[in-house]
C-alpha cells in the first residue's frame, strides 16, 4: 500500500480517542508513504503497541516542523480527525517497533523546530517506553545545501529506547521515489 501526500497534514494518524482508553496493537508491513505532509507521514498520539516492518516514510514537505514519523504523548501539532475527538491532554505511549524501515526527509533545519526523520515528543509529562528502531536507514536533505533536518530527535525523557544497526546519512537526491 502506498499513501501519497499532496499537502495533507498526516498520512496515517494513530491515536486514542478523547476518552483516553487504550488504542493500538497494529502491525504494518511494506507500507510506503511519499509526498508532502505538513506534520508527518505517520503521527502517533498515545497509540500503543504498534509495529512497522520494511516500511518507507518519505516526506518532501518544506514546512518547518515536517517529519517522517512522530511518536508523541500529546497532540502537539493540533491535528484533527473527522472520525473521532482526539485526546486533549497527555496519554501514555508504549511499545513502538520500527524494523528495516527507511526514513527520508527533505527541507532545511529550522531553529526551534522539531522536524526530522523519527521524532519522539513527550516534552511536558506523560510517558513513553519500549521504543525500538532496528536495521533502519535515515536520509536527510536540504535543497539549499545547508544543514538538513536531524535524523532522530528525542525531545523527551523516554525509557527503554533501543536504536540498533541504524544508518544515518545525507540524502543524495537519487533516492527512489
Amino acid at each position: 500500500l502506498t499513501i501519497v501526500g499532496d499537502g495533507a497534514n498526516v498520512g496515517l494518524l494513530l491515536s486514542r480517542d478523547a476518552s483516553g482508553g487504550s488504542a493500538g496493537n497494529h502491525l504494518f508491513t511494506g507500507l510506503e508513504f511519499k509526498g508532502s505532509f505538513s506534520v508527518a507521514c505517520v503521527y502517533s498520539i498515545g497509540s500503543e503497541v504498534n509495529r512497522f516492518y520494511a516500511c518507507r516514510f518519505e516526506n518532501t514537505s518544506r514546512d518547518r516542523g515536517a517529519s517522517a514519523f512522530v511518536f508523541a504523548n500529546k497532540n502537539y501539532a493540533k491535528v484533527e480527525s473527522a472520525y473521532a475527538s482526539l485526546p486533549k491532554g497527555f496519554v501514555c505511549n508504549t511499545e513502538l517497533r520500527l524494523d528495516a524501515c527507511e526514513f527520508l526527509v527533505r527541507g532545511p533545519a529550522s531553529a526551534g523546530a522539531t522536524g526530522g526523520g523519527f521524532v519522539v515528543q513527550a516534552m511536558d509529562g506523560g510517558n513513553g517506553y519500549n521504543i525500538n528502531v532496528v536495521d533502519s536507514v535515515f536520509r536527510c536533505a536540504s535543497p539549499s545545501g545547508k544543514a538538513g533536518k536531524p535524523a532522530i530527535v528525542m525531545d523527551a525523557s523516554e525509557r527503554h529506547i533501543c536504536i540498533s544497526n541504524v544508518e544515518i546519512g545525507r540524502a543524495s537526491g537519487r533516492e527512489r521515489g
Side-chain angles (χ1 to χ4, degrees):
L1 175 65
T2 299
I3 297 174
V4 179
D6 187 11
N9 61 0
V10 298
L12 176 63
L13 174 62
L14 299 169
S15 179
R16 299 169 185 249
D17 66 15
S19 73
S22 186
N25 203 18
H26 303 106
L27 170 63
F28 302 98
T29 303
L31 277 181
E32 181 177 12
F33 297 85
K34 63 182 180 179
S36 178
F37 304 94
S38 63
V39 174
C41 299
V42 176
Y43 192 58
S44 177
I45 311 165
S47 180
E48 301 178 308
V49 192
N50 295 304
R51 294 172 296 285
F52 293 81
Y53 295 97
C55 294
R56 186 167 193 269
F57 310 96
E58 178 183 358
N59 193 351
T60 59
S61 174
R62 302 282 197 269
D63 289 345
R64 184 183 136 142
S67 302
F69 196 110
V70 175
F71 181 72
N73 71 338
K74 183 179 176 184
N75 188 1
Y76 295 101
K78 298 181 174 79
V79 300
E80 295 181 2
S81 169
Y83 305 102
S85 295
L86 301 181
K88 300 290 184 218
F90 298 106
V91 288
C92 178
N93 264 321
T94 63
E95 196 176 326
L96 172 66
R97 185 162 185 100
L98 299 156
D99 266 316
C101 292
E102 184 178 2
F103 301 80
L104 175 64
V105 289
R106 297 187 184 279
S110 301
T114 56
F118 173 61
V119 177
V120 175
Q121 290 181 309
M123 300 171 286
D124 304 315
N127 60 19
Y129 47 91
N130 294 335
I131 300 170
N132 295 280
V133 182
V134 181
D135 298 329
S136 294
V137 176
F138 293 84
R139 298 279 183 249
C140 302
S142 174
S144 64
K146 296 179 181 175
K149 293 181 180 183
I152 300 173
V153 178
M154 295 290 178
D155 199 356
S157 56
E158 301 299 308
R159 298 180 298 242
H160 308 287
I161 297 172
C162 172
I163 299 175
S164 176
N165 198 30
V166 167
E167 177 186 332
I168 298 175
R170 187 167 180 193
S172 65
R174 293 187 309 268
E175 289 76 20
R176 55 183 184 148

